[in-house]
Structures are given as structure tokens and as C-alpha cells.
Amino acid sequence: MEKHELTCIQCPIGCALTVTVDGENVTVTGNTCPRGRVYGIKEVTHPSRTVTSTVPVTDGEIPRLSVKTRTDIPKEKIFDVMEVIRKTKVKAPVNLGDVIIENVCGTGTDVIATKSVK
Amino acid sequence: MQSHDIVIIGGGPAGLAAAEAAYDAGARDILILERDVRLGGILNQCIHNGFGLHTFGEELTGPEYAERYINMVEERGIRYKLRTIVADIDENKRVTYVNGEEGAVTVQAKAIILAMGCRERPRGALGLPGYRPAGIFTAGTAQRLMNIEGYLVGRRVFVLGSGDIGLIMARRMTLEGATVCGVAELMPYSGGLNRNIVQCLNDYNIPLKLSHTVTMIHGKERVTGVTISEVDGNRRPIPGTEEYYDCDTLLLSCGLLPENELSKSAGIELDRVTGGPVVNDRLQCSVPGVFACGNVLHVHDLVDFVSEEAERAGKNAAHYVAEGEGSDGEATVLKAGPGVRYTVPQTLDAGLMDESVKVRFRVSDVYRDRSVSLYYDGRLISKRKKRIMAPGEMEELILKKSSFDRPVSEIRIAVED
């Protein structure tokens, strides 16, 4: 049995959650609404985040292109994804939404441009 | 002298939304003046996500949010000048701007929309002891250097102040390989959003030290470390609580100040608490025909609220150009009662007001299970219970025109039991 102490981020109240994992059984206490329960379970079983960063862009009006993972990726993959982003360079022009890295680190999601650079 | 119906000072989120809304309300002769090399303002460097949930119903990064508004401005053919700085506005609504192509030019505006945004509180305003080594940055400056220009500003970082930009930068620098030793916050509560504490600090095991401040910056050429101390209830450092952190960089995230030098030169009345212009329910300043919106008016937590407010300013400026000011009846004054720091707007014209007017305000402390009470000349009009209110989260209240069944001289908003 393991216990996790979390702060709920579903609203400004910020309930202090205790999530207990006992095999298949996940229980949440400390929440004051159903959203807190859903959040607590997800944070402990499949935490995920969107990663945002920048890559250098040559021949463009500005030197850096901002990028993001199109969807959330598993939290434990954040630093692997950053490693790949850090080795990436692109050439202008780039349009918002262009795929910069396909299926990054086998997560099934692409890294895409969040800016247009002429 | 050239003239324009509406001149908008600043092409960030407020200026763009104001321009779009002014156009859609019928104005055509609109000019945006922007000093940077592209439109979008601070959003261009806010590469993280979390923008747009209210406006577009989806989570966008700052540059994506900006590009949507830039596209709206482009589609409407609204004119703008980049690399153009406004040097002066006078009380007759003459705007003097300077750029590399035209030199100094003065134009006559029928209406002006102030959308200059805000600035960060710098080290000099904080009174931090120590030498003046390299390696001290406001969080937003570090963000610009990193996300726009591509420089990592330090490898071992300490952050003073728990404002959102500081929290976002703690995560950003960690992702780029720097070590963030900790964040110190003078107040007993964080100045940033809960979501940022969790996703920027807790995710990366960065300690947040509440009721702490930096009491010494070490290093002569470059920062070599900082000493932090716990503070008492009066925010004075407690001797004996000093802790030393080895670091090469100190980021400051200690508050934002509306940028109103131009407003002052136009003789516009400012609110001492917000640092922005005093406005009525149409977001019009003390000089008729000058409107204000976004962070130049008061510092917002969410860009979505900036866009919404700026659209109101844009629409009202278009109406002002088309119809003139209209009769100005007796203004009702909005007062911040106990527990409330300020309200925007600060005055209201019950005769001319829209069917409903949104009042935004901030509370002065963290309050749990308290009520927000609304009084008209001492009469209790409504009382609404809130689970939690905090200075870092802007509150709002809607005033309905129909609630003004008799003349009211003072509206008061207060936090009560």
C-alpha cells in the first residue's frame, strides 16, 4: 500500500488530497468534490503533462521557434522529450501547427510549432 | 496633422482585442502602435500552455493565443506600425510616436485606447542588500532572453517571489538543464496560481519557502550565492534563521506594475492601489475619449480576462467616435470596503450603463468561507458565500442595470462573515 500527498489543481481551493494505492484499489481522501477524486486518481496512476520549449530557427525573422507536444505525454517522459527537442534545429519558414518532431520518444504524439516564423 | 479615429497604444493581447472589437463595432480608421518587432506582446515569450480556456475553450500556448488575435487584426485589415514607440500623449488626444522610417510624428486621435501593459518590479525597488553582480534578472527578462533570444541565463538558480512568471521560469530552467535551488516568498501565501505551484515546483521537487526573503546577495562580478531568512508577521527578517544557497543566478518575481508614464503625460487620473487609470463602466479614463484595458489598467491573472476587458474598451471607443460621449450624469462611485483592495471600474453611470457591468476586484488576504457583500448607499443588495478567496485570484461581480431602481451615489463591495 502506498500513499501520495497532493494538492488538487482543479479549482482555487487547492484541497490537500491523500491518494492511497492498494493493488488495483485507488482511494482519494481530502477532496471536497468529485473532480478532486478524478484528478487524484489520474495523478497517481497516469500523470501526464504538455511539454513546451523552443528550438533554434535559421533564416527567419526571429532566432527561436516555440514548440509543444500536441497532447499530454506521460510525466516520466518529460526529460527524454526535452533531450530530443534540444537536439532539433529548423529552417524558416515555419507555420503554426507544423510538425517539428514526429512521434517524439514513441509517445504517439508530435512536437509541433506554436508560432509562425517567416 | 494626420488624424485617426482610434489610436491604440500597444499591440499586445489588450491592444489586439481592442482593435478587433472596435472594428466589429463599426470603427474603420484604427491604428495600432507597437514598439516590438512583431505583434503579440508578452504572449510571444510565454511559450507555456494554459491560455485560452475561457476565450476559445481550449488550452493554448501564449504564441498560439497571440496568433489567433493577430490573424483577426490582419483579416480585418487593421493598420499597425511595428518598431514604433509612443513618446507622448497630450490632454487633447494628440499622440507623438517615433520610428526609424518616419522620425517623430504627431497625429490627432478622436479616441485613444491605452494598452501598454505592465512592467516587472526591478531589484532597485526591492531594497535587497548586497553588491551589484551580473546574474540578477527579473523573471520576465530571463524569460525573454531564453524563449525569444535563446540564452540560458544561469545554471544554479534561486527565485525570489512566487509570482506566476517566477514559477514558470523555475520549471523552464529546470527543463533546460539548470538546477533551481528554491523559491522564497515574503508573504505567508503564494502569489502565483495553485496550478503553477504544483506543475512548476512540486513536479520537480523545487522547495517553496513561504515567509522567507533574500537578505544578502553574494558575489562581486557574478552572483555566487544568496542568503535567505525567515520573516516575522511584520515581514522583518528573524535573526538566526539565515540559510545560504550556492547559486549563480537570482530571478525576481516580485510583482507587476502598470506602465502609465504616457497616461500621466496626458493628465489622466490614476488609482493609487491599482497603479492604473481610474475608469468608469465604459473603461473610459478621466480624459474623455481615452480608454484603458489590460495590464495597464490593473494587473490580471489570465490573458482571457484581458481580452474580454479589451473588447469592451474597443467597442466603447468605437461608440464614442460614432456618437460622442453622450450625457454624463452623476457618477456612482465604487468603493473597496473591508477585505477588498480595489475595484475596476471605479465609477459607474447608471443612466448610460449596459444591461450589466462586470466589476473586477481583488481581496487583500486569503479568506475561507467568507461572503462578498454588495451595498448601494449602505443598503445590502446581495451577499454571496465563497469557499476561498485569495489576493492572487481576481474576483468578479456583475451589476445589473435593473438593480438601480433609484439613484445611488456609492456602491461598496466588502468581504464579510
Side-chain angles (χ1 to χ4, degrees):
Chain A
M1 198 167 82
E2 40 176 323
K3 275 191 174 188
H4 302 264
E5 307 285 339
L6 306 172
T7 307
C8 182
I9 61 167
Q10 299 299 301
C11 84
I13 294 174
C15 294
L17 308 180
T18 304
V19 186
T20 312
V21 185
D22 188 1
E24 293 283 283
N25 226 347
V26 184
T27 51
V28 180
T29 55
N31 59 308
T32 49
C33 80
R35 287 160 70 201
R37 189 175 157 271
V38 173
Y39 172 77
I41 293 172
K42 173 134 195 301
E43 271 301 284
V44 167
T45 53
H46 312 97
S48 65
R49 300 285 186 268
T50 298
V51 175
T52 64
S53 189
T54 62
V55 298
V57 51
T58 50
D59 302 335
E61 55 186 359
I62 50 171
R64 300 296 289 192
L65 170 71
S66 53
V67 298
K68 71 170 182 184
T69 54
R70 194 193 295 277
T71 58
D72 289 5
I73 58 151
K75 198 173 149 187
E76 69 271 13
K77 294 259 189 182
I78 291 176
F79 282 95
D80 296 343
V81 168
M82 279 302 298
E83 197 68 24
V84 178
I85 290 175
R86 218 171 293 139
K87 288 179 188 146
T88 305
K89 291 185 176 116
V90 296
K91 236 175 114 81
V94 183
N95 284 314
L96 191 153
D98 283 359
V99 174
I100 305 300
I101 306 164
E102 246 175 84
N103 185 17
V104 63
C105 298
T107 54
T109 193
D110 302 327
V111 172
I112 60 171
T114 58
K115 227 178 235 185
S116 301
V117 179
K118 280 180 230 148
Chain B
M1 195 188 313
Q2 248 205 333
S3 76
H4 295 285
D5 284 352
I6 301 179
V7 175
I8 301 175
I9 321 291
L16 294 171
E20 166 254 328
Y23 186 96
D24 290 352
R28 289 296 175 269
D29 182 11
I30 304 169
L31 177 65
I32 305 173
L33 301 173
E34 167 56 44
R35 67 178 171 187
D36 209 339
V37 299
R38 64 194 275 159
L39 294 173
I42 205 69
L43 287 171
N44 286 321
Q45 69 184 59
C46 297
I47 63 164
H48 53 283
N49 63 326
F51 303 92
L53 277 169
H54 295 262
T55 310
F56 298 113
E58 57 181 306
E59 213 173 339
L60 303 171
T61 64
E64 291 173 304
Y65 190 98
E67 204 150 316
R68 294 208 180 180
Y69 274 93
I70 293 169
N71 290 343
M72 292 183 213
V73 163
E74 300 272 12
E75 282 159 14
R76 287 165 178 75
I78 296 170
R79 276 172 304 162
Y80 56 87
K81 290 178 189 289
L82 302 175
R83 297 183 180 87
T84 300
I85 190 151
V86 175
D88 185 57
I89 306 172
D90 72 13
E91 59 273 23
N92 298 314
K93 299 195 281 282
R94 283 187 294 247
V95 179
T96 302
Y97 64 80
V98 184
N99 64 34
E101 280 156 31
E102 299 167 87
V105 179
T106 300
V107 296
Q108 176 69 56
K110 284 187 191 153
I112 294 173
I113 300 175
L114 304 174
M116 295 89 81
C118 60
R119 300 291 166 265
E120 295 175 281
R121 187 171 279 127
R123 180 190 173 180
L126 297 170
L128 295 177
Y131 290 101
R132 298 182 166 209
I136 305 170
F137 300 91
T138 56
T141 300
Q143 188 181 45
R144 178 172 178 104
L145 287 168
M146 189 155 208
N147 294 343
I148 303 285
E149 295 172 33
Y151 299 106
L152 184 63
V153 299
R155 305 215 167 267
R156 282 187 69 81
V157 185
F158 195 87
V159 184
L160 175 60
S162 60
D164 286 311
I165 314 169
L167 302 177
I168 294 284
M169 281 309 290
R171 171 176 64 186
R172 180 82 186 104
M173 295 197 71
T174 304
L175 288 178
E176 290 293 347
T179 302
V180 179
C181 311
V183 177
E185 167 59 53
L186 183 67
M187 303 304 285
Y189 49 83
S190 162
L193 301 173
N194 234 330
R195 176 173 74 181
N196 288 333
I197 304 279
V198 171
Q199 297 199 341
C200 300
L201 300 187
N202 300 359
D203 270 7
Y204 302 96
N205 301 313
I206 299 168
L208 170 60
K209 302 183 82 78
L210 297 174
S211 298
H212 278 75
T213 192
V214 169
T215 43
M216 187 66 190
I217 299 170
H218 304 273
K220 278 192 178 171
E221 299 295 320
R222 174 85 198 189
V223 173
T224 57
V226 294
T227 299
I228 73 160
S229 302
E230 198 178 337
V231 297
D232 63 20
N234 295 318
R235 298 180 223 161
R236 274 193 294 263
I238 303 169
T241 60
E242 295 86 359
E243 269 180 277
Y244 178 76
Y245 284 85
D246 191 39
C247 61
D248 58 29
T249 301
L250 175 65
L251 296 189
L252 305 173
S253 183
C254 302
L256 300 167
L257 309 164
E259 170 70 50
N260 278 289
E261 294 308 311
L262 291 172
S263 318
K264 284 182 204 161
S265 70
I268 286 166
E269 185 192 347
L270 299 181
D271 181 317
R272 280 191 187 184
V273 181
T274 60
V278 171
V279 292
N280 65 15
D281 52 293
R282 283 157 287 158
L283 302 173
Q284 182 172 253
C285 306
S286 62
V287 174
V290 181
F291 298 79
C293 53
N295 283 350
V296 78
L297 179 55
H298 58 137
V299 176
H300 295 62
D301 323 326
L302 297 182
V303 71
D304 300 77
F305 295 162
V306 168
S307 300
E308 184 266 338
E309 182 179 275
E311 284 173 0
R312 282 192 280 144
K315 188 187 81 175
N316 290 330
H319 289 166
Y320 175 88
V321 168
E323 296 150 24
E325 199 185 355
S327 79
D328 211 347
E330 275 298 292
T332 304
V333 179
L334 279 94
K335 284 261 170 74
V340 176
R341 278 191 58 224
Y342 71 77
T343 69
V344 168
Q346 291 89 343
T347 69
L348 178 140
D349 186 328
L352 289 177
M353 72 183 278
D354 288 341
E355 284 312 307
S356 68
V357 164
K358 194 172 282 181
V359 177
R360 293 227 153 95
F361 62 96
R362 280 188 197 276
V363 296
S364 47
D365 203 346
V366 177
Y367 296 110
R368 288 179 191 276
D369 294 315
R370 304 287 281 275
S371 300
V372 173
S373 300
L374 173 68
Y375 293 92
Y376 290 176
D377 289 333
R379 272 188 298 144
L380 180 67
I381 300 299
S382 70
K383 192 164 180 167
R384 188 170 49 118
K385 198 119 187 124
K386 294 278 290 182
R387 286 285 308 278
I388 187 149
M389 290 179 280
E393 309 257 357
M394 196 150 42
E395 298 290 333
E396 66 178 50
L397 203 139
I398 310 279
L399 300 181
K400 295 241 182 276
K401 191 182 178 101
S402 57
S403 68
F404 295 92
D405 48 2
R406 59 184 115 156
V408 174
S409 62
E410 184 189 286
I411 299 169
R412 187 181 290 267
I413 299 172
V415 176
E416 295 180 338
D417 286 333

